[in-house]
Each structure stands twice: as structure tokens, then as C-alpha cells.
Amino acid sequence: ASGAAAGAVSTALCYPLDVLKSQMAVSGGLKGSVVAAARQIFREQGGARAFYKGLGPTLVADVIGTGLGFTLYDVFNGWYRTLKGGRKPSPAEKGILGGCSACLCMTATQPLEVVMTRLRVQGVGGRPVLYKG
């Protein structure tokens, strides 16, 4: 629970930078320096609240991704030990198991990334505002 809380706080503190990055990277998005873009977001998109568009799905994706990633890694380690007669994986094998669990985890959570990005950039560069969050 404390790990999830720490992750949520970390995400909430860094999230405004993700909003800035997304709105500056999109075609027709914000121009200029990071400070100028931040001022523009604050002034034109609703104050401090504008820096947290899409935070809810981001927190859900982080919780799901972290839980799924560790669970898959544990499952893969168990399968490995079963197949190898109880032998623990070497550091290189642990890297492969971790990579496989990360690939599956990313595949499962990628649709949430699309939702988060759409929430961050709606209304920017002439894009319509379609989502609330």
C-alpha cells in the first residue's frame, strides 16, 4: 500500500511535466519555451487544474501496470523454476524474464496510454474537447 501511495504521489507531482510535453509535442501544439507554454496552459486552459487533465487514467494505468508487471515476473520466475527443477534463474535469465513480463504488461496497458494522451492534448491545436477527466 505504501508503494502504491508513493507511486501516486510521484505521478501527481510529475504529471504537469507530462501535460507540457504532450501539448508541446503534438502537431499545432504549444510553441516557445517550457515556461511560456506553462503560462499559456495556465492562462488559457483553466488554471492549475489544466495541468492535471487525464491524471485519473494515468493513476489507474500505473497501478495496473505495476501490479501486473510484478505479478507476471513472479509467475515467470515460478514457471522457470518448475521447468528447471527448482534452479533459480541467473541474472541474465532474470533480465529475460523481466523483459518478457514488461512486454506483456506494456501490451496490456497501452490502450490506457492512448486515453491519457488524448485527454492531455484535447483542445490544443484546434482539436475538439471530447473527453472529461
Side-chain angles (χ1 to χ4, degrees), residues 24-104:
M24 292 179 81
V26 70
S27 175
L30 303 177
K31 305 286 186 239
S33 71
V34 171
V35 173
R39 284 185 185 134
Q40 186 176 351
I41 290 172
F42 187 86
R43 195 172 49 247
E44 296 175 6
Q45 297 181 28
R49 184 181 182 109
F51 289 97
Y52 290 92
K53 292 191 291 188
L55 180 61
T58 301
L59 291 173
V60 170
D62 284 352
V63 169
I64 290 171
T66 301
L68 184 61
F70 282 115
T71 300
L72 287 171
Y73 182 72
D74 286 343
V75 167
F76 289 167
N77 266 311
W79 286 348
Y80 181 90
R81 291 182 84 166
T82 299
L83 292 171
K84 297 292 184 175
R87 182 175 73 79
K88 292 182 180 179
S90 70
E93 292 164 334
K94 284 182 179 182
I96 292 169
L97 295 172
C100 291
S101 64
C103 285
L104 285 175

